[in-house]
Amino acid sequence: MKKILWVFLGFSLLLSTNLRAAEVHDFHRSLADAYTHYRAATFYLRTGNPAVASFELMDLQTKWQALNKRFKQNPPAIYSRDGTWGPSMQEIELRIDQGVKATENGDLEAAKKKLVPIRQLLSDLRRRNNVSTFSDIVDKANHSFDSLFYYRHNEPDLNKPEQVEDVQRRLSLAAYWYQQCLELAPKKAKNDLLFDRLISTSLESYSKAWVALREKDTRRFINILREISASNRMLYLKFG
């Protein structure tokens, strides 16, 4: 009888663990699904297309409400000790609602102001709980390129060693995170021809940027940054 009890307890524990693991998986899957609409909405707001942005925002609003209904009061195990979980989830929902309203009123700048911080809120939520997803890797690739892109409109003086050193540091970091995107991408992304093209052409451009720096060809270096910029935006839109 005692042996049967231990077997039953062991089975119950295993079942509970599997259920909680499935909960985490369901949350991340639902979040990724909603986030595709967020990325699309912010993209169309930036390019001045409120009609399409509005459709994406309505889908985002519906999916986030469903996600909040299931998880706001019952976070997956890995997030269960986060004291700011509930307020963070609620703030995101509020910002989505405000973004929808601003877009409907034709105020695209107000909509962007409300929606843009959501990306960082989600990143902070994962970071606080020691969770890392491919979205975080893409964020690092995007942000490191944004730092390098500073020199697109602030032409570096390649005859000044301290400025060359700063450019090299930013370039190294950007190239590193793009390489990480390639190495850590999930199978679905790795098998995607667009992803392969975006990453491979960007890494090739980073290599060319090193040559431009070595040859002190400022104009070529800046043109290369302009080339990567489009890929950087597309990487986020499709795979962030």
Side-chain angles (χ1 to χ4, degrees), residues 3-4 33 36 45 49 69 87 95 122 131 144 148 168 172 194 197 204 209 233:
K3 187 174 181 181
I4 293 173
D33 184 29
T36 59
L45 286 172
N49 195 331
K69 184 177 181 180
R95 285 185 172 277
L122 288 171
V131 174
S144 60
L148 177 64
Q168 289 175 335
S172 294
L194 175 60
R197 185 166 70 251
E204 184 179 351
R233 289 194 299 270

Side-chain angles (χ1 to χ4, degrees), residues 208-221:
K208 291 177 180 177
W210 281 109
V211 175
L213 287 181
R214 187 168 60 247
E215 296 176 353
K216 296 186 178 182
D217 189 340
T218 307
R219 181 50 46 199
R220 185 184 176 198
F221 175 74

Side-chain angles (χ1 to χ4, degrees), residues 133-134 137-138 141 175-191 195-196 199-200 203 235:
T133 66
F134 186 59
I137 305 301
V138 173
Y176 169 79
W177 283 112
Y178 263 76
Q179 185 64 40
Q180 289 297 102
C181 280
L182 178 63
E183 294 178 6
L184 300 177
K187 186 176 181 180
K188 184 178 179 180
K190 285 185 175 180
N191 292 335
F195 177 79
D196 180 68
I199 296 296
S200 60
L203 288 172
L235 177 65

Side-chain angles (χ1 to χ4, degrees), residues 20 23 68-77 85:
R20 293 185 76 82
E23 233 180 25
N68 242 359
K69 184 177 181 180
R70 179 177 177 187
F71 294 107
K72 188 174 74 172
Q73 301 301 330
N74 183 37
W85 167 269

Side-chain angles (χ1 to χ4, degrees), residues 143-182:
H143 294 328
S144 60
F145 174 75
D146 289 343
S147 174
L148 177 64
F149 198 65
Y150 165 82
Y151 284 109
R152 161 66 179 87
H153 299 290
N154 298 272
E155 188 173 301
D157 187 341
L158 300 183
N159 291 310
K160 291 183 177 180
E162 67 278 7
Q163 201 155 86
V164 172
E165 184 178 339
D166 184 62
V167 176
Q168 289 175 335
R169 179 183 61 79
R170 298 186 194 210
L171 177 57
S172 294
L173 202 57
Y176 169 79
W177 283 112
Y178 263 76
Q179 185 64 40
Q180 289 297 102
C181 280
L182 178 63

Side-chain angles (χ1 to χ4, degrees), residues 20 75-85 128-129:
R20 293 185 76 82
I78 200 167
Y79 296 100
S80 60
R81 295 186 179 183
D82 185 350
T84 59
W85 167 269
R128 286 197 307 269
N129 295 281

Side-chain angles (χ1 to χ4, degrees), residues 19-33:
L19 286 173
R20 293 185 76 82
E23 233 180 25
V24 174
H25 176 73
D26 286 348
F27 171 72
H28 285 153
R29 184 175 57 190
S30 298
L31 176 59
D33 184 29

